[in-house]
């Protein structure tokens, strides 16, 4: 029951999926509970990936064998996942792009990232990220539902694991008084990382079983490289991370997973 409460708290914190009323009262909240829920963030990816996959499947099946069916399905899938999360991670990506693109001075970067207004760098980052998602999901969809759906699920699950490693390795540099991520940023314990890895394992094994180990390794390598690059970038520019950095990392690593899968398929597909 404790693990279930922690999982539902993660769902409540990182999605718009309803955890309300008596259920929310039963789940409860405390900074310690939020910290413990970190190990279930990849489990949230299972829910969001399932929502997106169902939207993709419904639109693709409804449209039939039309040339642009994968693209329309990719659009519907992306809308579904944004609605499920409330654009939580996309907002982080935009804030990070505005901050790091708008100044070279660390304190000014952190100040810009706290501004709720969308700037030019944030707008460009959002447009390019959404375009990359749509293009890659449509491309994977041309190879069939058996390719795009497992890849979609694997990307959403794994991309929520990498930010936890940033929390584990870097220090929190956001405003402690207002940051929603501060409780989980205090500490990510080894058991939480292990729980997060266990959430990822069946999704990744499913990709390997259905699509082959080479595709999984390519997608995993691209996603891991993206996470390492983001971590290095934050270390160099911020000497740590903020909650927005975690959201940005999730977005970049999700896209990188799709890219790795697409590259593994090669120019002729499977």
């Amino acid at each position: 029951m404790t693990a279930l409460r922690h999982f539902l708290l993660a769902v409540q914190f990182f999605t718009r999926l309803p955890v309300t009323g008596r259920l929310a009262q039963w789940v409860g909240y405390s900074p310690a509970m939020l910290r413990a829920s970190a190990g279930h963030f990849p489990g949230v990816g299972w829910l969001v990936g399932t929502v997106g996959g169902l939207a993709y499947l419904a639109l693709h099946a409804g449209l039939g064998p039309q040339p642009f069916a994968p693209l329309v399905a990719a659009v519907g899938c992306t809308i579904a996942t944004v609605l499920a999360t409330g654009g939580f991670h996309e907002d982080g990506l935009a804030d990070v792009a505005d901050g790091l693109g708008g100044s070279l001075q660390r304190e000014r970067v952190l100040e810009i990232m706290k501004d709720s207004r969308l700037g030019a760098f944030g707008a460009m980052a959002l447009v390019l990220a959404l375009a990359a998602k749509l293009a890659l999901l449509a491309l994977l969809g041309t190879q069939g539902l058996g390719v795009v759906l497992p890849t979609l699920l694997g990307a959403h699950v794994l991309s929520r694991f990498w930010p936890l490693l940033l929390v584990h390795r870097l220090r929190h540099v956001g405003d402690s008084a207002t940051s929603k991520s501060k409780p989980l940023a205090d500490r990510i314990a080894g058991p939480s990382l292990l729980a997060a890895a266990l959430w990822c394992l069946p999704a990744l094994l499913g990709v390997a079983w259905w699509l082959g180990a080479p595709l999984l390794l390519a997608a995993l390598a691209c996603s891991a490289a993206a996470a390492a690059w983001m971590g290095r970038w934050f270390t160099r520019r911020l000497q740590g991370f903020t909650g927005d950095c975690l959201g940005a990392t999730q977005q970049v690593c999700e896209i990188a997973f799709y890219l790795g899968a697409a590259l593994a398929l090669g120019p002729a597909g499977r």
Side-chain angles (χ1 to χ4, degrees), residues 27-124:
V27 170
Y29 172 81
S30 70
M33 286 182 64
L34 181 58
R35 191 177 303 119
S37 74
H40 299 284
F41 292 164
V44 174
W46 276 90
L47 291 179
V48 177
T50 298
V51 169
L54 289 174
Y56 199 108
L57 176 62
L59 286 170
H60 195 282
L63 291 170
Q66 299 187 46
F68 290 98
L71 178 57
V72 176
V75 173
C77 165
T78 303
I79 292 173
T81 56
V82 169
L83 289 175
T85 63
F88 194 78
H89 306 299
E90 287 83 356
D91 179 66
L93 175 65
D95 287 342
V96 167
D98 274 334
L100 295 178
S103 177
L104 295 176
Q105 298 179 351
R106 176 177 176 272
E107 296 305 321
R108 177 57 180 158
V109 170
L110 293 174
E111 182 181 342
I112 294 173
M113 287 169 63
K114 288 188 291 183
D115 192 332
S116 60
R117 292 172 294 181
L118 180 64
F121 290 103
M124 287 187 287

Side-chain angles (χ1 to χ4, degrees), residues 10 20 38 58 83-84 89 131 154 169 181 185 188 203 209 213 216 230 237 239:
T20 58
L83 289 175
H89 306 299
R169 298 188 61 180
S181 65
I188 293 290
W209 178 78
L216 171 64
M230 295 293 281
R237 294 293 306 277
Q239 290 82 57

Side-chain angles (χ1 to χ4, degrees), residues 26 41 52 63 95 103 117 149 175-176 185 191 193 245 247 252 258:
W26 177 76
F41 292 164
L63 291 170
D95 287 342
S103 177
R117 292 172 294 181
L149 295 182
D175 187 346
S176 299
L193 287 177
C245 295
V252 172
Y258 300 143

Side-chain angles (χ1 to χ4, degrees), residues 8-262:
L8 290 174
L9 182 60
V11 172
Q12 186 180 50
F13 192 80
F14 283 104
T15 76
R16 294 291 178 88
L17 301 177
V19 181
T20 58
R22 291 184 178 180
L23 180 60
Q25 293 178 3
W26 177 76
V27 170
Y29 172 81
S30 70
M33 286 182 64
L34 181 58
R35 191 177 303 119
S37 74
H40 299 284
F41 292 164
V44 174
W46 276 90
L47 291 179
V48 177
T50 298
V51 169
L54 289 174
Y56 199 108
L57 176 62
L59 286 170
H60 195 282
L63 291 170
Q66 299 187 46
F68 290 98
L71 178 57
V72 176
V75 173
C77 165
T78 303
I79 292 173
T81 56
V82 169
L83 289 175
T85 63
F88 194 78
H89 306 299
E90 287 83 356
D91 179 66
L93 175 65
D95 287 342
V96 167
D98 274 334
L100 295 178
S103 177
L104 295 176
Q105 298 179 351
R106 176 177 176 272
E107 296 305 321
R108 177 57 180 158
V109 170
L110 293 174
E111 182 181 342
I112 294 173
M113 287 169 63
K114 288 188 291 183
D115 192 332
S116 60
R117 292 172 294 181
L118 180 64
F121 290 103
M124 287 187 287
L126 281 177
V127 169
L128 293 174
L130 289 173
K133 282 187 189 182
L134 297 181
L136 289 168
L137 287 172
L139 178 63
L140 292 169
T142 62
Q143 305 302 315
L145 293 174
V147 172
V148 67
L149 295 182
T151 305
L152 177 70
L153 182 62
H156 275 282
V157 173
L158 183 64
S159 65
R160 285 166 171 80
F161 174 77
W162 301 123
L164 298 180
L165 293 184
L166 296 187
V167 175
H168 184 67
R169 298 188 61 180
L170 304 180
R171 68 187 182 95
H172 187 268
V173 295
D175 187 346
S176 299
T178 60
S179 174
K180 294 180 180 179
S181 65
K182 186 61 173 68
L184 69 90
D186 286 336
R187 183 180 69 253
I188 293 290
S192 291
L193 287 177
L194 177 60
L198 291 176
W199 273 112
C200 294
L201 187 60
L204 298 181
L205 289 178
V207 172
W209 178 78
W210 195 258
L211 300 174
L215 185 143
L216 171 64
L217 291 176
L220 184 60
C222 281
S223 190
W229 182 76
M230 295 293 281
R232 183 175 181 275
W233 196 24
F234 298 145
T235 300
R236 181 168 58 87
R237 294 293 306 277
L238 301 176
Q239 290 82 57
F241 75 95
T242 69
D244 289 328
C245 295
L246 303 183
T249 300
Q250 186 278 321
Q251 287 289 289
V252 172
C253 292
E254 178 190 340
I255 294 169
F257 194 94
Y258 300 143
L259 177 61

